[in-house]
């Protein structure tokens, strides 16, 4: 009898619940605890907390609990439904598990601690459960935490896309640039993603008209989405995305020229795309050799270096410098560079806005690297919903309100 009392206490069971039977199977590495309530016990209605409701019927349920040393532990109980004069028949609230879960709250807390550190599939292997059961737990806590979110202070927003499943699927992230966390993630990368963000913001006490700064890439869909939904926002085009477009242009010049100068340009691709300071000595020497050649790629490269220099300038000189750069680049006779110069002209104020807002570098960058870590953690899962849950868990700074 004493060991039953011990287990009741260890589980923190409250009247009228107690452990009535234990069975231990060393071969199956399994400990089973049967819980029960005293005959004639009455329970509170789960809807109104009215105490003393009579038991209507019971149904048998089991929950996996924290391991007992190296043995899996399970609780089993007949769970009563009570009849409330006001609310009718409902299953009672249990202190050790939430409705519908096959795990105890403490086991779920353990799972959530583990999935924060390792891939869900690895956690599944570790605890010997199927990963779909684990994802259900993850979604429950993430959804509940998101439902409690307060976004009333949100003012500066970063928008970025992240690809999933080898670039076949996209998710758009919305970051609070002041608190450095992702506040919303949604499938797709179209203007509707921004519309969904605005709706979600309203649903969490925020106000789309209160968003004053947006940092994003130069893509048309995001631009349309922001112009249509975040009416007071000033747009900054993220400098790293601008730079990526320029690198693409340089690479395109190299690709075209390779047809005539194949031997000379062979194996040089990354020399043109990386910062000179990040090259090895050998690469640097190779680049220096190429820079003395009368190549179109060299001219494109030099135009790109001149463009990069703008971000080092004092704000007062930036616009004048950029105007001169565009004037020169459109006469470069290098079509990819000319196209980029037109892109700059068409995104003029958003590129220059950086000199006032200074949003992007670091903030979005840091977030992105964490999202990449989340991607690794969600790897192997084909569902965008799982990926998004992992993003919230990793860069959402959610309050999961886990049992302790
Ligand atoms: Zn009731």
């Amino acid at each position: 009898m004493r060991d039953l009392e011990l287990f009741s206490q260890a589980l923190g069971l409250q009247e009228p619940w107690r452990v009535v039977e234990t069975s231990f199977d060393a071969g199956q590495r399994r400990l089973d605890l049967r819980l029960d309530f005293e005959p004639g016990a009455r329970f509170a209605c789960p809807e109104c907390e009215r105490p003393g409701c009579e038991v209507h019927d019971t149904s048998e349920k089991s929950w996996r609990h924290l391991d007992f040393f190296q043995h899996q532990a399970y609780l089993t109980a007949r769970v009563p439904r009570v009849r409330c004069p006001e609310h009718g028949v409902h299953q009672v609230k249990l202190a050790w598990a939430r409705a519908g879960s096959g795990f105890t709250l403490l086991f779920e807390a353990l799972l959530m601690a583990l999935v924060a550190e390792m891939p869900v599939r690895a956690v599944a292997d570790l605890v010997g459960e199927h990963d779909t059961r684990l994802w259900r737990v993850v979604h429950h806590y993430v959804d509940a935490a998101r439902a409690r979110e307060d976004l009333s202070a949100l003012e500066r927003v970063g928008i970025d896309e992240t690809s999933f499943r080898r670039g076949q699927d996209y998710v758009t992230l919305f970051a609070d640039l002041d608190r450095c966390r992702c506040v919303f993630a949604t499938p797709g990368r179209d203007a509707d993603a921004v519309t969904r963000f605005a709706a979600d913001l309203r649903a969490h006490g925020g106000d789309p008209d209160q968003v004053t700064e947006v940092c994003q890439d130069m893509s048309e869909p995001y631009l349309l989405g922001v112009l249509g939904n975040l009416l007071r926002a000033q747009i900054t085009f993220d400098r790293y995305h601008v730079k990526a477009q320029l690198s693409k242009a340089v690479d395109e010049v190299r690709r075209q020229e390779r047809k005539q100068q194949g031997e000379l340009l062979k194996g040089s691709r990354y020399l043109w795309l990386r910062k000179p300071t990040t090259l090895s000595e050998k690469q640097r020497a190779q680049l220096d050799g190429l820079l003395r050649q009368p190549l179109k790629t060299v001219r494109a490269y030099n135009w790109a270096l001149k463009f990069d220099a703008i971000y080092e300038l004092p704000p007062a000189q930036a616009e004048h410098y950029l105007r001169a750069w565009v004037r020169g680049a459109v006469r470069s006779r290098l079509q990819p560079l000319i196209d980029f110069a037109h892109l700059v002209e068409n995104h003029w104020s958003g590129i220059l806005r950086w000199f006032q807002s200074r949003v992007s570098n670091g903030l979005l960058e840091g977030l992105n690297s964490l999202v990449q870590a989340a991607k690794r953690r969600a790897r192997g899962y084909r569902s965008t919903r799982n990926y998004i849950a992992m993003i919230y868990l990793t860069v959402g700074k959610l309050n999961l309100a886990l049992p302790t």
Side-chain angles (χ1 to χ4, degrees):
M1 242 357 237
R2 194 172 286 162
D3 64 329
L4 296 181
E5 179 60 26
L6 179 70
F7 277 120
S8 293
Q9 284 186 17
L11 287 170
L13 294 182
Q14 302 284 328
E15 289 285 322
W17 292 101
R18 60 204 161 88
V19 175
V20 294
E21 192 189 335
T22 63
S23 67
F24 179 65
D25 187 330
Q28 296 287 316
R29 296 188 153 209
R30 184 177 165 122
L31 172 71
D32 276 283
L33 303 177
R34 173 165 280 280
L35 316 184
D36 208 352
F37 54 89
E38 277 137 46
R42 289 168 177 247
F43 295 85
C45 164
E47 301 288 311
C48 65
E49 314 273 319
R50 174 203 298 264
C53 295
E54 223 171 282
V55 172
H56 177 74
D57 58 7
T58 62
S59 62
E60 178 122 327
K61 294 196 163 48
S62 285
W63 305 267
R64 175 147 182 214
H65 193 48
L66 299 173
D67 285 4
F68 181 73
F69 296 99
Q70 69 273 44
H71 312 286
Q72 293 191 359
Y74 291 85
L75 312 183
T76 305
R78 48 187 194 113
V79 179
R81 293 199 300 167
V82 289
R83 181 185 292 282
C84 168
E86 204 178 321
H87 297 98
V89 175
H90 287 285
Q91 186 183 305
V92 301
K93 271 190 194 144
L94 302 171
W96 60 86
R98 60 188 175 83
S101 177
F103 301 124
T104 65
L105 290 170
L106 284 177
F107 191 79
E108 290 187 341
L110 171 71
L111 293 178
M112 293 305 288
L114 291 172
V115 298
E117 302 297 330
M118 56 199 276
V120 172
R121 200 152 50 181
V123 176
D125 289 345
L126 185 71
V127 299
E129 295 287 345
H130 199 277
D131 61 81
T132 54
R133 291 192 78 192
L134 268 53
W135 278 113
R136 229 173 283 144
V137 174
V138 169
H139 287 304
H140 167 78
Y141 284 100
V142 168
D143 291 351
R146 277 225 81 236
R148 290 189 300 268
E149 281 267 73
D150 173 10
L151 300 180
S152 58
L154 190 61
E155 289 177 357
R156 301 199 306 158
V157 177
I159 305 177
D160 205 355
E161 64 176 43
T162 169
S163 70
F164 177 46
R165 264 208 278 175
R166 295 173 193 276
Q168 289 178 50
D169 288 305
Y170 285 88
V171 167
T172 299
L173 305 176
F174 295 81
D176 180 338
L177 293 177
D178 295 301
R179 286 155 203 89
C180 255
R181 69 184 191 107
C182 174
V183 290
F184 184 62
T186 188
R189 50 170 173 173
D190 49 6
D192 287 345
V194 186
T195 308
R196 287 193 291 279
F197 165 68
D200 187 82
L201 185 54
R202 276 189 212 98
H204 291 94
D207 178 2
D209 285 346
Q210 198 183 286
V211 176
T212 54
E213 295 284 349
V214 165
C215 181
Q216 59 160 89
D217 63 22
M218 292 187 284
S219 76
E220 195 75 19
Y222 286 162
L223 199 51
L224 289 173
V226 170
L227 293 175
N229 290 285
L230 307 175
L231 305 179
R232 308 223 166 142
Q234 297 258 27
I235 298 168
T236 300
F237 292 120
D238 178 55
R239 56 180 285 196
Y240 295 99
H241 283 102
V242 175
K243 168 78 177 129
Q245 292 292 323
L246 178 56
S247 291
K248 243 191 242 174
V250 174
D251 198 46
E252 182 57 27
V253 172
R254 179 199 59 84
R255 231 173 46 80
Q256 289 173 8
E257 192 170 39
R258 205 180 45 188
K259 287 163 195 155
Q260 299 90 42
Q261 301 283 358
E263 209 42 52
L264 204 52
L265 287 167
K266 205 171 150 194
S268 72
R269 180 162 187 232
Y270 290 98
L271 301 179
W272 309 108
L273 301 181
R274 286 177 47 186
K275 262 191 190 156
T277 49
T278 65
L279 296 176
S280 70
E281 220 166 287
K282 196 177 150 206
Q283 290 170 321
R284 182 69 234 203
Q286 192 191 349
L287 179 65
D288 286 342
L290 284 166
L291 288 175
R292 284 191 289 272
Q293 303 291 333
L295 290 168
K296 287 179 180 163
T297 308
V298 170
R299 284 172 49 226
Y301 180 78
N302 285 327
W303 278 112
L305 287 185
K306 277 185 206 149
F307 183 88
D308 286 349
I310 187 179
Y311 289 108
E312 312 302 326
L313 292 177
Q317 292 171 28
E319 182 159 15
H320 179 75
Y321 181 96
L322 191 60
R323 211 174 286 288
W325 187 90
V326 166
R327 255 198 318 270
V330 294
R331 290 197 304 258
S332 67
R333 284 171 284 113
L334 302 166
Q335 195 55 46
L337 251 286
I338 295 168
D339 293 342
F340 175 79
H342 290 316
L343 188 73
V344 169
E345 278 184 309
N346 291 332
H347 295 81
W348 195 255
S349 58
I351 291 175
L352 289 170
R353 177 71 194 162
W354 181 82
F355 290 90
Q356 269 74 51
S357 70
R358 298 278 161 161
V359 286
S360 77
N361 53 349
L363 297 171
L364 275 172
E365 280 285 290
L367 199 74
N368 262 333
S369 63
L370 288 168
V371 167
Q372 293 314 309
K375 188 148 82 178
R376 285 194 289 280
R377 207 167 300 156
R379 193 165 47 193
Y381 293 96
R382 288 168 289 277
S383 131
T384 305
R385 188 168 174 247
N386 289 350
Y387 181 43
I388 287 176
M390 207 36 89
I391 289 171
Y392 282 132
L393 216 48
T394 314
V395 293
K397 296 187 183 167
L398 293 176
N399 174 14
L400 293 174
L402 290 168
T404 48

